Amino acid sequence: MTAMTTIPQGIDLRAEIDRLRKERNAVILGHYYQKPEIQDLSDFVGDSLELSRKAAETDADVIAFCGVRFMAETAKILSPEKIVVLPDMDAGCSLEDSCPPAQFKAFREAHPDHIALSYINCSAEVKALSDIIVTSSSAEKILSQIPREQKIIFGPDKHLGGYLARKLGREMLLWPGVCIVHEAFSETELLKLKAQHPDAPIAAHPECPPHIVDHADYVGSTSGILEFSKKMAGDTLIVATEPHIIHQMQKAVPEKTFIGAPGADGNCNCNICPYMALNTMEKLYLALRDLQPRIEMDEELRLGAKKSLDRMLEMASGTVGQGDLGNR
């Protein structure tokens, strides 16, 4: 460990993070997929775009984004005057990795009569190459405003794109990216679990493959699944998304039981996002102390990416953070 990354022995991390939060005039954002201890100390907990918008509305000088890199980039796009730090710059995303900007640019150029709708889980460069950004809560509303004769590229998540194409009867050219977390759910193990809890509904994120989504009683974004867990009539819910969202469900409705959908080995370990897990209390403390690692972005790139985000906000202003793709 270098001097820059040395943490004093016996330090009270929570107290030090609180001290630095005040000293730096910082706001701490925690995604639903973060560890419970990070969720519990965050000023805001939520979905990626929802968090960036909330941070932009604050008078904070520093945004500490406990999530993954594309989320912190989005915060910088919306709050260029603020310092944005990410506890671990290696916290990437398999969807972002699946869509290299140069390849996406070539794909777009090969299909000049298509417009590009890109899921927010992509790099700033891909956002700048896109016409409209979508979230899992806004995609349906945005698609409904695009003329049916307009040809569409949807990337980088083929499962979300496929779900929307099936639900809305829209043919789209899908970029072949997947989320490794949602790809890990096992249909066989899910059906075994459902047999043990026949009255429990299944809530699934649309990043799941069709063989999981087709068994779901509710399909929606992370915040949509959280709302469903509060409103559903029963007392047990099977949850097919990254299992750290269950922490918020247990806080909201402690009298209910939430069961994470299993992976191929019959447990949930493979469904924990390895990128989200890179953020720790220690790294958050260091990020606030040193204001590093910091998100830096060329202004031309930022404005290019912001254009597609602004288009989404114009077309789907009422849906961000609502997370509702509807019941099956």
Side-chain angles (χ1 to χ4, degrees):
M1 257 190 183
T2 65
M4 284 296 287
T5 57
T6 300
I7 297 175
Q9 266 191 327
I11 192 173
D12 182 337
L13 280 173
R14 177 63 193 261
E16 282 299 298
I17 287 167
D18 284 336
R19 178 183 67 79
L20 287 165
R21 176 185 353 224
K22 295 191 187 87
E23 195 176 288
R24 299 292 195 193
N25 188 28
V27 61
I28 299 174
L29 308 180
H31 191 271
Y32 286 132
Y33 295 168
Q34 288 295 293
K35 301 178 185 82
E37 59 264 31
I38 289 180
Q39 292 187 39
D40 289 344
L41 63 75
S42 296
D43 295 291
F44 300 107
V45 179
D47 280 338
S48 59
L49 181 60
E50 176 191 7
L51 289 173
S52 291
R53 295 185 79 200
K54 283 181 176 173
E57 291 164 6
T58 72
D59 62 359
D61 297 314
V62 175
I63 298 170
F65 208 128
C66 297
V68 295
R69 190 171 52 244
F70 82 81
M71 298 178 185
E73 283 185 348
T74 302
K76 187 66 176 177
I77 291 164
L78 297 182
S79 299
E81 75 290 353
K82 299 184 194 299
I83 292 169
V84 180
V85 294
L86 180 67
D88 192 321
M89 201 59 83
D90 289 333
C93 170
S94 58
L95 280 167
E96 178 184 343
D97 293 344
S98 77
C99 193
Q103 291 180 28
F104 188 71
K105 184 173 186 287
F107 190 66
R108 285 222 62 184
E109 289 169 352
H111 301 91
D113 53 346
H114 289 61
I115 63 167
L117 268 61
S118 293
Y119 188 32
I120 196 166
N121 296 36
C122 63
S123 65
E125 289 82 3
V126 168
K127 286 180 176 70
L129 289 165
S130 303
D131 296 294
I132 311 167
I133 295 302
V134 301
T135 62
S136 46
S137 54
S138 66
E140 189 173 327
K141 186 172 182 180
I142 287 169
L143 268 169
S144 69
Q145 296 172 58
I146 297 172
R148 296 194 76 83
E149 63 273 15
Q150 174 62 59
K151 293 179 178 179
I152 297 170
I153 289 169
F154 190 97
D157 191 329
K158 70 176 185 180
H159 292 322
L160 175 58
Y163 171 78
L164 291 163
R166 294 191 304 276
K167 185 173 184 190
L168 301 177
R170 295 291 294 257
E171 189 176 332
M172 295 190 287
L173 199 52
L174 304 179
W175 184 268
V178 297
C179 166
I180 56 171
V181 171
H182 293 91
E183 186 85 341
F185 292 115
S186 161
E187 181 180 27
T188 302
E189 295 298 330
L190 180 64
L191 291 175
K192 283 186 200 171
L193 187 61
K194 181 67 176 175
Q196 294 166 25
H197 305 275
D199 297 327
I202 297 170
H205 196 287
E207 289 180 30
C208 292
H211 60 260
I212 298 297
V213 168
D214 288 350
H215 294 293
D217 302 281
Y218 175 85
V219 180
S221 76
T222 323
S223 50
I225 292 172
L226 177 58
E227 286 307 304
F228 177 76
S229 74
K230 297 175 188 174
K231 295 172 183 173
M232 68 175 204
D235 60 5
T236 303
L237 178 66
I238 297 169
V239 181
T241 190
E242 214 275 1
H244 283 116
I245 182 62
I246 291 174
H247 180 60
Q248 291 298 319
M249 296 174 176
Q250 289 168 335
K251 287 173 72 170
V253 273
E255 68 278 10
K256 293 183 180 178
T257 300
F258 302 105
I259 306 167
D265 61 355
N267 65 49
C268 285
N269 292 339
C270 58
N271 302 332
I272 291 173
C273 177
Y275 301 107
M276 289 283 187
L278 290 175
N279 296 308
T280 64
M281 296 277 283
E282 290 81 4
K283 291 174 186 174
L284 174 58
Y285 161 75
L286 290 169
L288 286 169
R289 188 191 74 181
D290 303 336
L291 296 182
Q292 294 289 346
R294 192 181 298 199
I295 299 291
E296 305 285 4
M297 193 174 299
D298 174 80
E299 183 65 2
E300 185 179 351
L301 171 60
R302 186 189 75 81
L303 291 173
K306 187 173 184 291
K307 200 178 293 183
S308 59
L309 275 168
D310 286 344
R311 190 81 181 107
M312 183 201 76
L313 295 171
E314 288 164 20
M315 296 177 76
S317 58
T319 64
V320 175
Q322 300 306 305
D324 194 352
L325 276 175
N327 297 321
R328 187 178 62 170

